[in-house]
Amino acid sequence: MTGVGRRAPLIGWLIACYAFLYAPIGFLVIFSFNDSRLVTEWSGFSPRWYATLWHDRTLIDATWLSLRIAVVSATIACVVGAAAGFALARFDRFRGRLLFEAALAASLVLPEVITGLSLLLLFVTLQQVIGWPAGRGAWTVTLAHASVSVAYVAVVVRARLVDAGETLEQAAMDLYAPPWKAFAVITLPLMAPALVAGWLLAFTLSMDDVVVASFTSGPGASTLPMVVFSATRLGVTPEIYALATVIVAVVAVVLGAIALLWRRRIGVDA
């Protein structure tokens, strides 16, 4: 049996797995152009639901709110998570290290319902004790998402720094570079890919979250996942499919641009 013949079952299984993952997205894109309001039958091609989506202020406002929350929370999580990952990777022993690691790991293993309820109780207690926050809204959701995402960023940054080692930093300091300059010139560029990956991961987690946001949001601060989840209770319409198709298209363009830039960078380095 040739090498191709031996690989045929594996290739077939791989194709089946990818089809299982991406076929639902393909059907979603197709039915976003369905002329009928019913998503169970096809009545003809029409872009009418994209026009309806363009004039749906509820979905558009929820989308912009989710984007603002995701950008700010991901930035906060990236800064705090980078500091946490750096501390865990570069300082072997410090007082409270085990407690610190346990606190980070809690966000990774606790169910979102428990996390959301805990954050809700925290915000209510702070409001009663110090008067802040005055009410639950976009800022409480932002802080909640940032607190959840910090652990993910810290894990990525820590793994990157542990893999890179300390040789270059020590060499820079042996050449009389002060610690801050060694960090800026050596450590920070080494962390850059992990920071980008951590930021994107935190952004995605924020855009996708519905449980924590439901506990920590208030009137007028409904994120896009919350609005979509509420709409599905009354029945999914092709308008939701159109919104999902737009999101898929934007993500595909961004990923394609990143892949193109990466290939060009590899070509230049080569």
Side-chain angles (χ1 to χ4, degrees):
M1 181 180 294
T2 63
V4 176
R6 289 195 298 268
R7 291 197 299 267
L10 180 59
I11 294 174
W13 175 250
L14 186 63
I15 293 174
C17 290
Y18 274 102
F20 177 79
L21 291 174
Y22 291 104
I25 298 178
F27 283 114
L28 181 146
V29 173
I30 292 172
F31 273 89
S32 69
F33 294 97
N34 186 12
D35 186 61
S36 174
R37 184 177 181 84
L38 300 176
V39 296
T40 57
E41 62 180 22
W42 178 268
S43 63
F45 179 88
S46 174
R48 56 177 289 203
W49 297 109
Y50 290 88
T52 303
L53 173 64
W54 181 256
H55 295 92
D56 191 332
R57 297 308 310 174
T58 300
L59 282 176
I60 292 177
D61 291 343
T63 301
W64 285 117
L65 177 63
S66 293
L67 287 173
R68 292 197 298 270
I69 290 174
V71 169
V72 176
S73 65
T75 303
I76 296 173
C78 192
V79 173
V80 179
F86 178 82
L88 292 174
R90 290 295 182 260
F91 301 103
D92 295 333
R93 295 181 180 179
F94 57 86
R95 182 171 298 180
R97 179 187 174 95
L98 292 178
L99 181 61
F100 184 63
E101 287 186 299
L104 285 176
S107 300
L108 302 174
V109 299
L110 282 178
E112 288 188 333
V113 173
I114 303 300
T115 302
L117 180 59
S118 301
L119 290 168
L120 171 62
L121 294 176
L122 173 64
F123 290 137
V124 170
T125 303
L126 289 175
Q127 183 179 2
Q128 294 175 349
V129 174
I130 63 175
W132 181 90
R136 290 180 297 280
W139 267 111
T140 53
V141 177
T142 301
L143 293 176
H145 284 178
S147 66
V148 172
S149 302
V150 163
Y152 294 89
V153 179
V155 168
V156 176
V157 171
R158 179 186 183 183
R160 172 64 177 173
L161 290 177
V162 170
D163 182 65
E166 303 181 42
T167 305
L168 294 176
E169 299 170 37
Q170 293 174 353
M173 287 187 283
D174 287 341
L175 296 173
Y176 303 103
W180 66 266
K181 189 170 184 178
F183 177 83
V185 176
I186 303 298
T187 309
L188 196 57
L190 289 175
M191 293 170 57
L195 293 176
V196 173
W199 191 93
L200 292 174
L201 179 59
F203 180 87
T204 303
L205 290 172
S206 177
M207 286 293 296
D208 186 58
D209 175 72
V210 64
V211 177
V212 174
S214 298
F215 278 101
T216 56
S217 65
S222 296
T223 61
L224 179 61
M226 293 173 61
V227 173
V228 172
F229 182 73
S230 299
T232 56
R233 297 179 179 179
L234 303 176
V236 180
T237 65
E239 184 182 359
I240 303 297
Y241 288 179
L243 174 63
T245 301
V246 171
I247 294 175
V248 170
V250 171
V251 172
V253 170
V254 172
L255 292 179
I258 293 174
L260 181 62
L261 292 174
W262 182 255
R263 291 185 62 182
R264 287 184 177 179
R265 179 181 176 183
I266 294 177
V268 170
D269 294 340

